[in-house]
Amino acid sequence: MKTTPLPFKKKLALKLFNRYRANEKSTHVLNYLFWECTLRCNLNCLHCGSDCKKEAVVPDMPKADFFKALDDITPIITPNETMIVLTGGEPVLRKDILEIGQELYRRGFPWGIVSNAMALQPKTIDLLMDAGLRSITISLDGLETSHNWLRNSKQSFKKAMKIIAYLNQVKDVRYDVVTCVNQKNLEELDLLYDLLVSLGLKEWRIFTVFPVGRAQLYPELQLLPKQFKDFFDFMARVRKEGKIKLNYGCEGFLGNYEGLVRDNFFFCRAGINIASVLVDGSISACPNLRSRFIQGNIYKDSFREVWESRYGIYRNRSWTKTGICKDCEYYSFCEGNGMHLRNDETGELMFCHLKRLLEAEEN
């Protein structure tokens, strides 16, 4: 399939979607909040964008501090429609995670975690569910050798598989598997797909790795242009087969692949519907956005005031129409790609999905 040009019907659909996106920016209803509750981690993954370690330089945020910020913003959100996701690092390493979950549940917030599964046991999951856990995401980055390579652990694959198998038997919790595709695991995606289907997995998300943090040190984490296109052909085929609900991550305009590899057209909701509280109190959008994209800090600013009156660079992205984006005919559908792919210092785009797809067709 050719990435461009776009047929008339797809262009029309994208233009209509632009109206929806404009309305979302205008209302900017917060319905997804990440709390980076720790930078401690029990793995040392090669692709870690946060460069997390076993002993973090920044201590865990006290739960009382987060709940104070949550109280501040609660008057302008609807708790039962606002998902709180505990992330890190590895959130399960917090000894008070059950207390945190119980308090979120008491306040009416659905909550979930993103975990590498190393510290999880079936009993732990049962306790988390008793504390109100609604969703859990487990990382599985290929078959055993390639997964363990990326996660830098000989035990990681077996741990993740054990938890995935258990979650398939558990009712009343939504779970999915996230895979970071790279040159090492690309060729085994079909085998991984068969494995996940055999386990009964219902939802699978795949991301490409962006060159930030530790991931900058390993060029093999980046797909070459032809591999990039082959990957999206795989995704389009799997979605068409319908055996599993598969979605590409929320990054990058993909030309004619839009509508084929994820449920919705590309839309970076960072700062529009998504916020985060980082471990040091910084108020951002998705946790990958730091430095120049920080909007305030809960220790000196009102979270509510920040959400209502700041986030200008997120809600008006005309500043991204520079560099490679300046003369792009598809800019109105992309608005400069995902915010996490913008350089922290210069604001320039580090990686363009559409360009890489077009490079594959040229060669």
Side-chain angles (χ1 to χ4, degrees), residues 321-340:
K321 198 171 174 60
T322 61
I324 191 175
C325 299
K326 184 176 181 180
D327 299 315
C328 179
E329 64 178 299
Y330 300 106
Y331 177 82
S332 64
F333 304 140
C334 177
E335 294 192 328
N337 212 318
M339 291 284 281
H340 66 287

Side-chain angles (χ1 to χ4, degrees), residues 229-285:
K229 191 173 187 304
D230 289 345
F231 162 61
F232 287 113
D233 287 334
F234 162 81
M235 291 205 67
R237 172 174 57 82
V238 168
R239 281 177 59 89
K240 189 174 182 180
E241 289 174 1
K243 296 179 182 178
I244 198 168
K245 183 179 181 182
L246 175 63
N247 275 287
Y248 180 55
C250 53
E251 59 176 87
F253 177 71
L254 305 171
N256 273 316
Y257 287 97
E258 289 295 322
L260 298 180
V261 298
R262 54 189 161 209
D263 291 345
N264 302 299
F265 291 140
F266 168 66
F267 182 9
C268 176
R269 293 180 179 270
I272 298 170
N273 306 112
I274 297 173
S276 67
V277 175
L278 305 183
V279 72
D280 64 352
S282 295
I283 302 170
S284 185

Side-chain angles (χ1 to χ4, degrees), residues 90-108:
E90 173 54 50
V92 179
L93 295 182
R94 286 194 64 125
K95 294 181 179 179
D96 60 356
I97 190 169
L98 293 178
E99 298 170 21
I100 292 168
Q102 289 165 352
E103 185 60 22
L104 287 170
Y105 180 76
R106 186 187 70 79
R107 296 174 186 226

Side-chain angles (χ1 to χ4, degrees), residues 36-37 48 59 91 137 185 230 238 257 273 305 336 343:
E36 185 184 65
C37 62
C48 181
T137 293
N185 65 11
D230 289 345
V238 168
Y257 287 97
N273 306 112
E305 186 276 330
N343 184 281

Side-chain angles (χ1 to χ4, degrees), residues 28 30 33 72-73 269-278 280-317 319 339 344:
H28 51 262
L30 177 60
L33 174 60
D72 181 41
I73 203 169
R269 293 180 179 270
I272 298 170
N273 306 112
I274 297 173
S276 67
V277 175
L278 305 183
D280 64 352
S282 295
I283 302 170
S284 185
C286 74
N288 294 316
L289 291 162
R290 303 177 117 82
S291 187
R292 74 192 300 267
F293 299 107
I294 299 298
Q295 300 300 295
N297 192 291
I298 64 168
Y299 291 113
K300 62 180 182 178
D301 300 304
S302 160
F303 190 9
R304 173 177 177 172
E305 186 276 330
V306 169
W307 181 256
E308 289 185 314
S309 63
R310 302 189 196 180
Y311 284 90
I313 60 173
Y314 294 93
R315 296 166 191 167
N316 179 356
R317 301 191 184 183
W319 62 271
M339 291 284 281
D344 265 346

